[in-house]
Amino acid sequence: MMLPATEIAPSILAADFSRLGEEIAAVERGGARILHVDVMDGRFVPNISIGVPVVSSLRKATTLILDVHLMIEEPGRYVGAFADAGADMISVHQEATPHLDRVLAAIQERDIEAGVVLNPATPVATLSEVLSVVDFVLVMSVNPGYGGQKFISGSLEKLRQLKELRSRYNHTYRIEVDGGLGLDNVADAVRAGAEIIVAGTSVFHTSDPAEAVRRMRQVASEALAQKV
Ligand code: DX5
Ligand code: ZN
């Protein structure tokens, strides 16, 4: 399998929403191809963030890949709406639905990449029946709900397991990691197997988000080069 180069996916949760268009233009200049969009319902996670109308507006404002991370109860009820709004990737939490297989199929039926997300306390083993189906797996390296939290280093082991399972069983999913990532730990995450690195605070809470993406991409690609 041809492994894609590492992608940095800036999380707009940390952006200045009053200047969202400019913030997106900046990360695009820095080389981002994916924009990570955190949807929170105040039930599955304690916080409320953004919903379908914002994804529709983003779709009009950018050609970047929209990676919609649903941190909501009953995600199956909203897949259609986010698909119509213009999502390119949609991920749902393993913990949020007893009908994971059905929800993943509903996403893929709409020609959207389907991902499954694991909270820090949820083992990789819970995904055994869907790893052959999903387009990507997202490992939470913080407890979902807020930006700006500290990276939980135990998630590196999960990234390694996912990489190992993929090669053992010839799966094709990509591996994404989300939470507490920055210049200090992006190399570890990439070496452990992450191919899509979500970064909010470390990109947008800087004076130059374009440069922040560039530097993270550079550190990630150096780590990838050393790995072999
Ligand atoms: C957390 C969200 C993350 C968050 C990452 O619930 O899923 O995507 O925005 O933010 P940082 O990079 O600041 O940890
Ligand atoms: Zn996220």
Side-chain angles (χ1 to χ4, degrees):
M1 190 186 133
M2 251 289 278
L3 283 178
T6 313
E7 303 276 2
I8 307 299
S11 165
I12 60 165
L13 191 65
D16 177 351
F17 285 118
S18 69
R19 326 173 14 254
L20 199 47
E22 293 163 48
E23 297 269 65
I24 293 168
V27 295
E28 194 166 0
R29 275 201 308 281
R33 296 176 52 230
I34 302 178
L35 207 57
H36 185 80
V37 183
D38 287 308
V39 176
M40 304 179 183
D41 66 354
R43 289 186 58 83
F44 181 69
V45 290
N47 201 5
I48 297 179
S49 59
I50 58 171
V52 175
V54 174
V55 174
S56 300
S57 298
L58 289 170
R59 184 68 298 157
K60 290 182 200 123
T62 182
T63 56
L64 291 179
I65 295 164
L66 297 180
D67 170 27
V68 176
H69 174 193
L70 296 183
M71 285 161 276
I72 64 177
E73 302 277 0
E74 299 189 73
R77 289 178 56 197
Y78 299 94
V79 161
F82 282 103
D84 292 344
D88 300 293
M89 302 164 66
I90 296 180
S91 58
V92 297
H93 274 256
Q94 186 275 351
E95 307 85 2
T97 173
H99 302 294
L100 192 53
D101 184 75
R102 178 189 293 157
V103 178
L104 294 169
I107 297 170
Q108 289 172 332
E109 270 163 27
R110 290 171 171 272
D111 278 335
I112 291 170
E113 286 195 27
V116 63
V117 195
L118 288 178
N119 276 339
T122 310
V124 169
T126 59
L127 300 185
S128 60
E129 309 311 306
V130 296
L131 287 181
S132 60
V133 170
V134 287
D135 298 298
F136 64 104
V137 179
L138 170 49
V139 171
M140 288 309 300
S141 41
V142 297
N143 285 292
Y146 304 95
Q149 301 181 81
K150 191 176 172 307
F151 182 81
I152 297 171
S153 55
S155 35
L156 293 173
E157 182 51 34
K158 284 189 187 173
L159 297 172
R160 283 184 210 109
Q161 286 176 29
L162 284 163
K163 196 168 96 171
E164 144 73 13
L165 288 168
R166 180 174 61 192
S167 71
R168 193 188 312 162
Y169 297 107
N170 284 318
H171 294 314
T172 55
Y173 53 79
R174 281 182 296 167
I175 303 172
E176 180 173 20
V177 63
D178 181 8
L181 286 142
L183 283 172
D184 54 326
N185 53 15
V186 64
D188 290 340
V190 166
R191 280 191 215 106
E195 290 139 353
I196 305 173
I197 309 283
V198 177
T201 305
S202 63
V203 167
F204 289 111
H205 291 197
T206 63
S207 55
D208 188 346
E211 181 59 16
V213 174
R214 246 176 249 127
R215 290 183 63 191
M216 275 187 82
R217 276 167 61 90
Q218 192 186 339
V219 173
S221 69
E222 283 167 11
L224 200 64
Q226 284 165 10
K227 203 180 59 165
V228 227

